Amino acid sequence: MADNLSTSFSKSAMSEEELRKTNQEQKRQIIAFALMIFLTLLAFVAVGAELIPASFAIPFILILAFIQLFLQLLYFMHLKDKDHGWANAFMASGMVIAIPVIAALMLLIGVVKY
Amino acid sequence: MGHAVDTSKGLPPHPERATLEGKNKFLGFWFFLGGETVLFATFFGTYLGLRNGVADGPTAAEIFQLPLVFIMTMLLLTSSLTSVLAMYAMKKNKFKAMIAWLWVTVLLGLGFLGMEIYEFYEYSVHYGLGYTTSAFASSFYTLVGLHGAHVVFGLSWIICLLIRYRRSGITLTNAPKFYVASLYWHFIDVVWVFIFTVVYLMGIGG
């Protein structure tokens, strides 16, 4: 207990099954990363090459950003894992407050016309 | 501690949350990240409100360069992957691999930071976009600078951990610390995704 908090371990206590699952998960992480790179490329190409009309480009890149947000949160930051209930609750409340904050600031500053 | 952890078989599969202290750090850190989300939202909201107020200074479309932002994005996205790989090494009790991946993360982060400093230098010296030039300039430097400050803090944090625990192996004391630092690094990456979308791509494209 308290005495082995600062001693290192010679081996992992992971069972074969757990190790297999961990390796599988790691592979999924790399796929998620490849997807993120693809989405980023798509966003840069959409704006840089002007392939799509400007009116559609902004909602398009915003959607891509939100997909990336969820890939990062769910896969890289493990929010999809079973024992992350409270972590999810905290992060979700932060994001729920963030949206009206952004909208309100944009509108308020826009109305005053600096 | 009074909180028994079975360590007889070796490092527990989730060393970052095996102890009560680790669990508390984990929960507290997510609470902090929820708050950070709101903090960044206020800066984003302000930027979006002010970004067309360019006064007599240059506009976003005149100064932003896609290739530079693209390379910065790639560096930061890749560093997010390397810190994920470091955490898998940690769970498997591979200390050397974890340390190596974290150093790669630090190097990528430093590359990002160097390019951001170069970028700010270019804007202020060659394009005449000082902090007080326009409402756009102030809100741009404040938002992107706040993110840059987070990068500096995250890098210092990880480097401190790497030096402090350079030979210790993975223990139940340092595993939560490494894990939480890596969560912070991912969060920085998530914020950057919105910065390159909202500030740079929207600045150029609309």
Side-chain angles (χ1 to χ4, degrees), chain A residues 14-103:
Chain A
M14 258 188 213
S15 64
E16 287 289 315
E17 174 68 11
E18 281 170 326
L19 186 66
R20 197 182 57 78
K21 272 199 181 141
T22 307
N23 283 332
Q24 205 177 32
E25 180 121 343
Q26 195 175 331
K27 260 182 220 138
R28 246 180 255 146
Q29 256 24 338
I30 292 167
I31 295 168
F33 173 71
L35 206 58
M36 283 185 219
I37 294 287
F38 175 71
L39 293 175
T40 307
L41 276 170
L42 213 59
F44 274 91
V45 167
V47 172
E50 290 172 354
L51 285 176
I52 47 177
S55 56
F56 181 62
I58 289 171
F60 179 67
I61 57 175
L62 280 175
I63 290 166
L64 292 182
F66 274 100
I67 299 173
Q68 277 217 56
L69 165 73
F70 285 105
L71 279 178
Q72 282 270 356
L73 286 176
L74 298 179
Y75 286 88
F76 279 20
M77 293 162 91
H78 297 279
L79 272 185
K80 67 172 175 46
D81 293 5
K82 280 194 196 85
D83 49 354
H84 281 57
W86 278 110
N88 266 309
F90 291 144
M91 200 62 202
S93 46
M95 291 197 296
V96 164
I97 299 168
I99 292 163
V101 163
I102 293 175

Side-chain angles (χ1 to χ4, degrees), chain B residues 58-66 123 127-129 136 140-141 204:
Chain B
T59 64
E62 282 166 16
I63 55 170
F64 292 160
Q65 297 150 10
L66 272 189
Y123 293 168
Y127 292 93
L129 188 79
F136 157 67
F140 166 76
Y141 283 127
I204 291 167

Side-chain angles (χ1 to χ4, degrees), chain A residues 4-5 8-9 11 13-14 23 25-26 29 33 40-41 48 69 72 83-84 86-87 90-91 105-106 114, chain B residues 7 9-11 17 26-27 30 37 42 48-49 53 66 77 88 91-93 168 171-173 189-190:
Chain A
N4 58 23
L5 282 176
S8 60
F9 297 86
K11 59 181 171 31
M14 258 188 213
N23 283 332
E25 180 121 343
Q26 195 175 331
Q29 256 24 338
F33 173 71
T40 307
L41 276 170
L69 165 73
Q72 282 270 356
D83 49 354
H84 281 57
W86 278 110
F90 291 144
M91 200 62 202
L105 280 166
M106 279 174 74
Y114 34 96
Chain B
T7 52
K9 290 196 200 97
L11 184 76
R17 274 173 294 151
F26 174 80
L27 265 190
W30 274 108
T37 309
T42 60
L48 284 168
L66 272 189
L77 276 180
Y88 277 108
K91 284 175 186 166
K92 292 186 227 165
N93 198 28
S168 71
T171 69
L172 294 179
T173 312
D189 197 51
V190 171

